[in-house]
Amino acid sequence: MAGSPTPPPPPARFRPAKGEVSRNLYVANCGPAVGVSFADIKEVFGAFGDVEGVYTADDSGVRVVVCFSHHSSAQAAFQALNARPCPNLHGRTLHIRYSLVQPPLQREPNNVVPVSLNALELNIPGLYLVHDFVSLQEEQELLAAVDERPWKHLAKRRVQHYGYEFCYQTRNVDSKQQLGELPSFVSPVLEKMSMFKKLYKITADVALDQLTVNEYPPGVGLSPHIDTHSAFEGLIFSLSLAGPCIMEFRRYIDGDWRHTKATLSTDTTTENPVNNSNFLRKAIHLPPRSILLLSGEARNAWNHYIPHHKIDMVNDTVIRRGSRRVSFTFRKVRTTPCKCSFPEYCDSQRQKKG
């Protein structure tokens, strides 16, 4: 039998048919890595009907996809060759299953709005992003430090609290119940934060006393929310470690995503009657070791949200989330009433009006 050069990968991705008969066969235990040419495979399977192509199933060299023109041909080949030695393929026992063409990868919902790589592009006042805020070694040391300490299990993620405990039911803290000082392993991070005053002329107090560490498994994110005004002061720092993600920002017209019927839309302007969108929508990519600062309008008026995806589309690039993403969120617990300029988004000012 004549040999043939290695063919290109299949024109589409395949997945197991799970009992359904198809015209495509996934064939294991034959291929160039074990001395079986693609021409040999096509000749053997061609005895059962017209073979449109033989393709590499993966990079192993021992698995192929055989595509027939008709289901009946694939079925005949399956019945004759599966789990049996094939004399014309060096006596190898073939392991065959039906395969279906897998639909092309759909763009994740975050792709309906452009994803920025830096905060300046978003044009949200008070939003800043610094890449490589910590080194790879510092990242590993921070992760090792929290992994030595006990985690609290929530529904879909694990958390640790330092300084003050955050209550997810009330979305608030008890300022009279201090857990202690922030741990010493974050001291280098806190020291670096002084750069924000110099680079971005931040005049607010950066004396932070509350830290929440979140560990996100793949596919787990956060619902849209604004950190409670009555619980925390005006600066919120979020350090991303171990894995990347997309963070989306939404500014709702009525101030609260829970009171709107807004749907995801390709339109980023307000009050679009066609698709009932009443919020601005922007997104940014947060790579590992970057730190995000929310201040002013970005902190007080924009909901932030992490889509529940395992794969993110950053413009035209597919970025798969890691086995874990760990965020360090630093805040200062509020001890005086909030007097921000966004009463429609401020829980304490709403309560006064009510």
Side-chain angles (χ1 to χ4, degrees):
M1 296 182 184
S4 64
T6 302
R13 295 172 61 88
F14 291 84
R15 61 178 175 82
K18 297 182 179 179
E20 181 181 347
V21 175
S22 75
R23 62 188 185 91
N24 311 304
L25 297 179
Y26 173 91
V27 185
N29 200 32
C30 72
V34 290
V36 179
S37 71
F38 291 95
D40 292 347
I41 298 169
K42 185 173 184 178
E43 183 174 339
V44 168
F45 282 83
F48 302 93
D50 180 40
V51 175
E52 292 184 347
V54 178
Y55 305 99
T56 57
D58 51 39
D59 296 330
S60 68
V62 295
R63 290 179 282 269
V64 298
V65 175
V66 180
C67 299
F68 285 93
S69 297
H70 302 284
H71 290 70
S72 58
S73 301
Q75 188 173 20
F78 180 89
Q79 293 173 348
L81 301 176
N82 182 44
R84 298 177 183 177
C86 182
N88 293 329
L89 294 177
H90 307 317
R92 304 195 69 79
T93 299
L94 306 182
H95 305 284
I96 306 174
R97 66 172 184 248
Y98 293 108
S99 292
L100 296 174
V101 175
Q102 183 171 306
L105 179 67
Q106 298 296 315
R107 291 178 180 268
E108 296 284 1
N110 72 273
N111 201 62
V112 300
V113 59
V115 178
S116 299
L117 300 180
N118 64 74
L120 188 61
E121 294 177 356
L122 294 188
N123 195 28
I124 299 178
L127 184 69
Y128 306 95
L129 177 67
V130 176
H131 291 245
D132 297 313
F133 184 76
V134 296
S135 67
L136 181 60
Q137 180 178 347
E138 289 172 322
E139 176 187 45
Q140 294 172 343
E141 291 172 350
L142 289 168
L143 292 172
V146 294
D147 284 337
E148 291 176 353
R149 290 160 173 78
W151 292 91
K152 180 178 180 180
H153 292 264
L154 301 182
K156 294 184 178 181
R157 67 184 193 274
R158 302 193 301 175
V159 300
Q160 295 180 18
H161 293 116
Y162 298 94
Y164 294 87
E165 184 87 13
F166 182 75
C167 179
Y168 293 95
Q169 287 72 30
T170 62
R171 303 194 63 80
N172 212 324
V173 296
D174 185 350
S175 60
K176 298 179 181 179
Q177 295 293 324
Q178 188 173 14
L179 301 176
E181 301 296 325
L182 296 187
S184 59
F185 62 80
V186 299
S187 295
V189 177
L190 295 172
E191 290 176 7
K192 284 187 179 182
M193 287 180 182
S194 61
M195 67 178 288
F196 283 90
K197 282 193 171 184
K198 299 176 182 178
L199 289 178
Y200 305 116
K201 298 180 174 58
I202 301 297
T203 58
D205 186 11
V206 194
L208 306 167
D209 56 11
Q210 199 276 336
L211 166 63
T212 298
V213 181
N214 283 283
E215 181 192 57
Y216 300 90
V220 175
L222 279 177
S223 298
H225 71 282
I226 296 176
D227 284 48
T228 314
H229 289 204
S230 60
F232 301 109
E233 295 281 355
L235 299 183
I236 298 174
F237 294 86
S238 181
L239 176 65
S240 295
L241 302 177
C245 77
I246 297 298
M247 180 170 283
E248 186 175 301
F249 295 90
R250 301 178 181 183
R251 182 162 179 173
Y252 292 86
I253 301 310
D254 62 0
D256 192 337
W257 69 274
R258 291 168 293 183
H259 303 316
T260 182
K261 296 181 180 179
T263 56
L264 298 187
S265 163
T266 56
D267 193 349
T268 57
T269 59
T270 61
E271 297 187 356
N272 183 346
V274 176
N275 41 35
N276 195 31
S277 174
N278 66 340
F279 57 89
L280 291 166
R281 188 173 181 217
K282 303 182 180 185
I284 194 169
H285 176 240
L286 302 181
R289 298 182 296 282
S290 65
I291 191 167
L292 186 76
L293 168 60
L294 303 179
S295 65
E297 181 179 323
R299 180 267 184 269
N300 292 309
W302 288 77
N303 285 257
H304 55 279
Y305 157 62
I306 299 177
H308 298 266
H309 299 163
K310 291 185 177 180
I311 295 175
D312 290 310
M313 293 295 301
V314 180
N315 302 323
D316 293 324
T317 303
V318 176
I319 296 181
R320 185 175 297 276
R321 295 191 187 176
S323 59
R324 69 190 300 210
R325 174 180 175 266
V326 179
S327 68
F328 284 51
T329 302
F330 297 88
R331 294 171 286 208
K332 179 173 175 54
V333 172
R334 181 177 294 281
T335 57
T336 59
C338 179
K339 298 179 181 179
C340 73
S341 302
F342 306 94
E344 68 273 31
Y345 301 92
C346 182
D347 59 302
S348 58
Q349 294 188 51
R350 279 176 172 174
Q351 292 171 4
K352 290 179 182 179
K353 290 182 179 180

